[in-house]
Amino acid sequence: MRDLHHLDLNLLMTLDALLDERNVTRAADRLALTQPAVSAMLTRLRESFNDPLFVRSQRGVIPTARALELAQPVKRILHDIQALLQPEDFEPRTSTLTVTLAATDYALRAIVEPFTRELRKRAPAMRLAVRQIDETNVRQLLEKGEIDLAIVTTQTAPQALHARRLYDEEYVCAMRAQHPAAGEQLSLERFCELDQALVSYFGDPFHGAADRALAEKGLTRRVSLSVDSFLFLVSLLKETDLLAVVPRRLLREEDKLLTFAPPLAIPGFTKAAAWHERTHHHPAHRWLREVLFEVCGEGE
């Protein structure tokens, strides 16, 4: 019984060349090999197929019946292997690729929403699955193929991944137009007095970026509500007399809230896209990432 351990790609290429050329010297030239090397491969081919495959003639070699039977299957195999080595043809408008993206709910509004709109225009048959990000497990999820792309901050992007900056974000104050303090030029003291809300995913639920900035000045603010969703927070701001310090892009398309600069400097953050080596060279994924970069760049 024979198996693939005794037959490699070079042997099949040699068999194909001999079938086409019917001459050992010409087959050797085509393969950029010496004539003795081709003769040695022919010996191995005869052992693998248990057939002479070629018999000598005055003008070269003549294939046996078994060799002729192998001609088309061998060409098909070599063609299929060559196709594997060629870049995949990618046409966005007809692609049915499914991509899984992980993001926070802030990124859903600031990034995924405009990205999805653009994707629907350019690649209507693509499918996008969006899931809540687990920043403690991003690298493993990308490695396993459970997600293809993660929206992270530059501080949380694992070093083992490919990553690219999307944009720098800054904080603004937000409140509804009917808020009692609407229209005021808020001093730092007045800012600290107002009832405020924040988003906290972990750690102290009533301490955020603004509180860290205030602490450096020996100040505190009045945080009355802590939630774990930026989208929920935006809805609350429209219905309550709460003030919140939120990322500017979260409210980019929100016209029912007043926004203004905080009365103190609050360090922002940088959003980035992260992906694994397994999709780094894939034509469709590369195209998808370029669309994402373009969409995020438009808002800067």
Side-chain angles (χ1 to χ4, degrees):
M1 181 177 179
R2 297 170 180 83
D3 56 38
L4 289 175
H5 291 93
H6 302 287
L7 188 67
D8 61 31
L9 180 60
N10 290 324
L11 291 180
L12 292 182
M13 293 175 65
T14 299
L15 178 56
D16 182 59
L18 287 168
L19 283 164
D20 286 348
E21 303 296 341
R22 310 288 173 96
N23 183 284
V24 174
T25 301
R26 289 199 299 270
D29 290 341
R30 170 171 154 179
L31 296 168
L33 297 172
T34 64
Q35 184 174 334
V38 172
S39 296
M41 288 188 175
L42 178 54
T43 298
R44 291 176 59 193
L45 282 164
R46 285 167 171 163
E47 293 172 353
S48 296
F49 289 102
N50 194 27
D51 187 272
L53 295 178
F54 297 92
V55 295
R56 294 186 180 279
S57 72
Q58 290 183 345
R59 295 185 177 182
V61 292
I62 298 173
T64 65
R66 176 62 173 145
L68 292 173
E69 289 175 355
L70 294 170
Q72 288 306 312
V74 166
K75 276 200 177 297
R76 184 167 59 251
I77 290 169
L78 292 175
H79 177 271
D80 289 345
I81 292 174
Q82 185 64 34
L84 289 175
L85 300 176
Q86 298 303 313
E88 179 185 345
D89 289 334
F90 173 64
E91 172 51 52
R93 294 206 62 81
T94 58
S95 174
T96 57
L97 179 72
T98 297
V99 175
T100 302
L101 182 151
T104 63
D105 72 327
Y106 154 75
L108 292 181
R109 172 66 65 85
I111 298 173
V112 179
E113 207 171 283
F115 172 60
T116 301
R117 288 197 297 267
E118 193 62 29
L119 197 61
R120 294 296 302 161
K121 295 176 187 176
R122 304 190 194 187
M126 267 192 184
R127 300 196 304 173
L128 181 65
V130 182
R131 57 183 288 182
Q132 186 72 23
I133 195 167
D134 179 359
E135 293 191 346
T136 65
N137 203 28
V138 169
R139 183 175 64 83
Q140 291 85 348
L141 293 174
L142 286 166
E143 283 181 353
K144 294 177 181 178
E146 294 184 28
I147 60 176
D148 301 302
L149 195 60
I151 306 301
V152 296
T153 63
T154 52
Q155 293 87 350
T156 59
Q159 292 185 354
L161 300 175
H162 292 279
R164 176 168 161 177
R165 171 191 168 277
L166 296 176
Y167 58 82
D168 297 323
E169 179 63 289
E170 63 182 6
Y171 286 103
V172 296
C173 291
M175 61 170 61
R176 67 185 184 125
Q178 296 78 24
H179 192 288
E184 291 185 25
Q185 186 71 34
L186 287 187
S187 65
L188 184 54
E189 181 181 5
R190 178 68 169 140
F191 170 81
C192 292
E193 291 174 350
L194 294 174
D195 278 338
Q196 299 189 36
L198 60 70
V199 171
S200 176
Y201 295 119
F202 47 82
D204 186 342
F206 295 96
H207 195 86
D211 301 284
R212 290 189 290 273
L214 286 168
E216 293 182 0
K217 296 179 176 294
L219 300 173
T220 60
R221 60 175 173 159
R222 184 176 176 180
V223 180
S224 304
L225 179 68
S226 172
V227 297
D228 64 356
S229 167
F230 276 106
L231 301 183
F232 180 48
L233 176 62
V234 170
S235 295
L236 283 174
L237 292 178
K238 296 175 185 177
E239 304 296 332
T240 66
D241 288 335
L242 288 168
L243 168 72
V245 176
V246 297
R248 179 178 61 86
R249 285 196 179 217
L250 183 70
L251 306 178
R252 186 169 52 180
E253 298 181 13
E254 183 58 63
D255 57 4
K256 294 184 179 180
L257 293 173
L258 300 176
T259 62
F260 51 92
L264 78 164
I266 302 175
F269 55 89
T270 300
K271 295 302 285 186
W275 62 94
H276 194 266
E277 176 67 21
R278 66 180 181 82
T279 60
H280 185 59
H281 299 286
H282 192 283
H285 285 273
R286 290 177 60 183
W287 176 86
L288 193 83
R289 292 193 297 269
E290 288 301 323
V291 174
L292 177 64
F293 303 149
E294 179 183 325
V295 167
C296 288
E298 288 176 352
E300 294 191 304

